[in-house]
Amino acid sequence: MQSSLTRALLLSLCGWAQAAALPVELMQLGPSDPATQSYNLQELRDVRVFARSAAGFKQSRLFWQQRVDGQWQAPLPMPFTDARWRDSDPHLGGSGKTLTFISDRPAAGEQALGQLDLYESTLSEGQWSVPQRLSESLQSKAYELGPERYGDRLYFASYRPAGPGKLSVYRSDRLADGGYGAPLALPAPVNEGPSNSDFTLTPDGRYALWWSDRHAGANRGDADIFMAERVGAGFGPAIRLPEPINGPGFEFTPSVSSDGQWLMFASTRPGTQAAGLSQLYRVSWPALLKALGPQVEAHSQLELEQKHSALWRAISHKAGEASDIGLLGSLLHPQAQVWGQSLRTANLDIKAWSGSEFLAMLKTPALEALYECEVHREIRRYGAHAEVYSVVESRRRADQVQADGVGVNSSQWQLGPQGWQLLSLHYAMALPGQAPPLQARQSGDCMA
């Protein structure tokens, strides 16, 4: 396993060298005003939302575009826009019917809040509703920034005190009564360094992107876009995106289009705008993943290998004991299926169990011990789906040389909210007189 990770690291270094050739395109969203900046572009199928403002994010407004017959129409201001208030950081929910954003508009009266809080508007029959202020359990006396809703989970950044940094990313889940739980700061590697914000997830949910000034040093006006693989409730190492995505200036508001083709972001790099103002850019998301190489899946790959090893460890047990049902239950998907196959007197004997039936069968203590020893493993993977072919030896004693039986296994794993889970396991006993295919290890040399 260690050698495969080392190989992945070497390949990833090659990917970094290739990434410098990635073409970054300037995006034009309507008339260009050198005194106005654009940012926070999100593209959800045939709808776009983004923000514009003057320097210092003053007079910020929300805009939306619709694509008709393959052509983007001219941007239109959101109908609820009001020159008295600042609206910014728009994000469309998964259905495209909920717009979450920040605003200093008051819940009542005509006096601006003096802070930026969380609001939502909904789209019904082509009309956007009057914005509604979100639950007070989410708000603070400080600025909230970059809200994004994914189902019943809301991510946003806040300058509120007692966070892990000056500006930190939080999440809050909707409760059964319609309210929200207390916001929780995301763990490292997201919240590292003084400031982190504009947290977003790719359409498949496998990667998180955000901006951070963790490497800015004395240049507090500089920030870069980072990404991390999302595995269960945690994240893999933070990967700083390479040049020319990150460059001189402030890179922020990353977003991947719903078709998975483009990474879009804002940058204050020198351009046609006034100095210090941002423009919108895009780069091919598939090309970026290819250029970064194996490092973008290294964290989940390691977990897959660990969980596959845990499967055989959990099935093993000493004499008079049962398999580790707790560990097995955490590995199996709720809809998991298990098949067992053997040939007896030229007849094919196949047994099948649901995951719960398989667990029930193994929870009874057995008179004889069972030690499972995996001696060979091959992984084929596509994104969040993986197929593992393995050869496993079974023994009644841990110290015996000759295996009592050899099984050839095919298992399917799915990467989801709980991390990798086993969808199906199909094992077949080795045929009499016919050894399994070439193995990577000698008999009895078990994989960790």
Side-chain angles (χ1 to χ4, degrees):
M1 185 185 302
Q2 186 64 38
S3 62
S4 65
L5 292 178
T6 302
R7 185 170 61 254
L9 177 59
L10 292 174
L11 289 173
S12 72
L13 294 177
C14 296
W16 278 87
Q18 298 169 5
L22 288 169
V24 172
E25 303 175 14
L26 175 66
M27 300 184 70
Q28 297 288 354
L29 278 74
S32 177
D33 178 359
T36 300
Q37 62 181 346
S38 300
Y39 53 95
N40 249 118
L41 174 64
Q42 184 205 3
E43 190 172 300
L44 183 59
R45 295 183 290 277
D46 291 327
V47 177
R48 278 176 174 169
V49 291
F50 65 97
R52 283 179 179 160
S53 77
F57 297 97
K58 296 178 180 180
Q59 304 169 6
S60 54
R61 299 287 181 268
L62 303 186
F63 292 81
W64 71 312
Q65 280 181 288
Q66 292 181 293
R67 182 162 50 189
V68 179
D69 296 330
Q71 298 296 318
W72 289 105
Q73 306 302 296
L76 297 173
M78 280 292 176
F80 52 73
T81 189
D82 189 318
R84 296 173 297 174
W85 325 126
R86 296 167 59 195
D87 298 328
S88 189
D89 298 12
H91 180 264
L92 288 170
S95 65
K97 303 295 184 181
T98 301
L99 180 74
T100 310
F101 62 100
I102 58 173
S103 179
D104 66 355
R105 61 180 62 216
E110 298 185 357
Q111 183 66 38
L113 285 176
Q115 64 195 51
L116 292 169
D117 284 349
L118 304 169
Y119 280 80
E120 282 188 345
S121 173
T122 56
L123 181 65
S124 178
E125 298 181 354
Q127 300 295 319
W128 291 100
S129 69
V130 175
Q132 298 297 310
R133 181 179 168 87
L134 292 184
S135 170
E136 292 303 317
S137 64
L138 299 171
Q139 318 287 0
S140 74
K141 297 297 183 182
Y143 279 23
E144 323 317 332
L145 301 174
E148 298 207 4
R149 175 187 295 285
Y150 297 92
D152 289 331
R153 176 162 291 178
L154 182 71
Y155 294 95
F156 63 97
S158 177
Y159 281 101
R160 64 188 62 195
K166 179 182 178 182
L167 174 61
S168 304
V169 179
Y170 295 81
R171 80 158 200 259
S172 177
D173 294 339
R174 193 193 294 270
L175 305 175
D177 62 3
Y180 286 87
L184 300 173
L186 294 188
V190 176
N191 282 320
E192 286 185 5
S195 301
N196 296 275
S197 187
D198 293 339
F199 179 92
T200 189
L201 296 177
T202 55
D204 57 10
R206 293 189 54 226
Y207 297 99
L209 297 106
W210 71 100
W211 70 258
S212 177
D213 63 358
R214 64 191 65 188
H215 294 334
N219 185 7
R220 307 314 306 170
D222 193 11
D224 292 328
I225 296 174
F226 289 76
M227 66 176 286
E229 194 178 12
R230 184 168 171 248
V231 181
F235 301 91
I239 302 171
R240 179 186 177 274
L241 299 191
E243 296 181 0
I245 299 170
N246 286 316
F250 194 105
E251 279 73 46
F252 63 114
T253 65
S255 176
V256 176
S257 58
S258 60
D259 62 4
Q261 294 302 304
W262 298 102
L263 167 63
M264 301 168 292
F265 62 98
S267 176
T268 61
R269 67 191 60 189
T272 58
Q273 307 299 98
L277 297 186
S278 66
Q279 297 184 90
L280 288 164
Y281 299 85
R282 73 178 187 178
V283 64
S284 168
W285 176 247
L288 173 61
L289 292 180
K290 182 178 180 181
L292 291 175
Q295 66 175 328
V296 297
E297 291 187 336
H299 183 68
S300 62
Q301 188 75 7
L302 177 58
E303 184 185 272
L304 174 61
E305 301 228 22
Q306 291 172 336
K307 287 201 169 183
H308 196 264
S309 293
L311 173 66
W312 305 113
R313 187 169 65 250
I315 292 175
S316 302
H317 59 80
K318 296 179 180 179
E321 297 182 1
S323 299
D324 188 341
I325 300 303
L327 178 54
L328 277 174
S330 69
L331 297 175
L332 267 59
H333 188 275
Q335 296 173 289
Q337 296 285 322
V338 179
W339 287 269
Q341 171 185 324
S342 63
L343 279 172
R344 295 183 180 178
T345 61
N347 291 319
L348 181 62
D349 181 22
I350 296 181
K351 292 183 172 60
W353 303 270
S354 66
S356 58
E357 290 171 337
F358 187 66
L359 293 175
M361 182 177 64
L362 296 181
K363 74 176 183 180
T364 303
L367 293 177
E368 292 185 316
L370 175 63
Y371 296 97
E372 299 283 56
C373 175
E374 186 181 12
V375 294
H376 184 74
R377 181 187 301 171
E378 299 174 22
I379 297 177
R380 298 179 64 190
R381 178 177 174 186
Y382 175 73
H385 172 77
E387 177 185 38
V388 183
Y389 166 82
S390 61
V391 177
V392 176
E393 299 174 339
S394 300
R395 290 174 172 81
R396 294 186 179 88
R397 298 193 323 274
D399 60 349
Q400 72 185 68
V401 176
Q402 187 70 30
D404 294 306
V406 179
V408 178
N409 308 277
S410 173
S411 59
Q412 285 69 44
W413 296 79
Q414 184 68 37
L415 181 59
Q418 306 303 320
W420 286 106
Q421 289 187 301
L422 183 69
L423 286 177
S424 66
L425 170 64
H426 181 186
Y427 70 86
M429 299 306 296
L431 299 173
Q434 183 176 340
L438 182 65
Q439 299 169 188
R441 294 166 178 259
Q442 296 294 322
S443 176
D445 183 14
C446 308
M447 300 183 71

